[in-house]
Amino acid sequence: MSMVFKRRLSLALALLLGSACLPALAADLTAAKAKAKMCAACHGIDGIAKVADAPNLAGNGELYLARQLQAFRSGERKHPQMSVIASGLTDEDIAAVTAWYSAIKVSVELPE
């Protein structure tokens, strides 16, 4: 069973059954956060980029992020670091990383 399926199943059960399933979802996100540590040097564990040429990942859609990683992995999209990093990612790795970054809530404060 893929991590994406497990995460979606956990979320669906949590919505249907209430808070009884939330620990399972939290455990999935804890594991996803651990997997996302490999991205933290450039993209930050909080999804806010730490280097000037890296995009912020926080709050982006899971499907969008997965498609970008898959494109780097396949060679369809090229970047000196990301092409190398993505080539070693499994589908489960991609699911974990995208689950983590898409779960981060982003808020914006506008200047007055």
Side-chain angles (χ1 to χ4, degrees):
M1 188 179 315
S2 76
M3 181 158 193
V4 172
F5 180 78
K6 287 179 186 177
R7 182 173 181 275
R8 289 184 179 151
L9 180 60
S10 294
L11 181 58
L13 287 172
L15 291 172
L16 288 172
L17 301 174
S19 62
C21 290
L22 290 179
L25 185 58
D28 285 349
L29 284 179
T30 299
K33 181 180 181 182
K35 185 60 76 172
K37 285 184 180 182
M38 69 177 138
C39 310
C42 296
H43 300 286
I45 197 65
D46 60 356
I48 305 302
K50 305 303 179 204
V51 296
D53 68 340
N56 294 327
L57 299 181
N60 276 291
E62 196 169 350
L63 182 59
Y64 169 77
L65 292 172
R67 284 186 177 158
Q68 301 317 303
L69 286 172
Q70 291 162 351
F72 282 123
R73 184 176 65 181
S74 72
E76 177 185 341
R77 186 170 177 189
K78 296 180 185 344
H79 182 272
Q81 289 87 20
M82 284 304 304
S83 296
V84 172
I85 292 166
S87 69
L89 297 177
T90 65
D91 289 341
E92 290 76 21
D93 294 335
I94 290 174
V97 169
T98 59
W100 171 252
Y101 285 116
S102 68
I104 298 172
K105 302 297 176 212
V106 178
S107 63
V108 177
E109 291 184 30
L110 298 174
E112 292 182 29

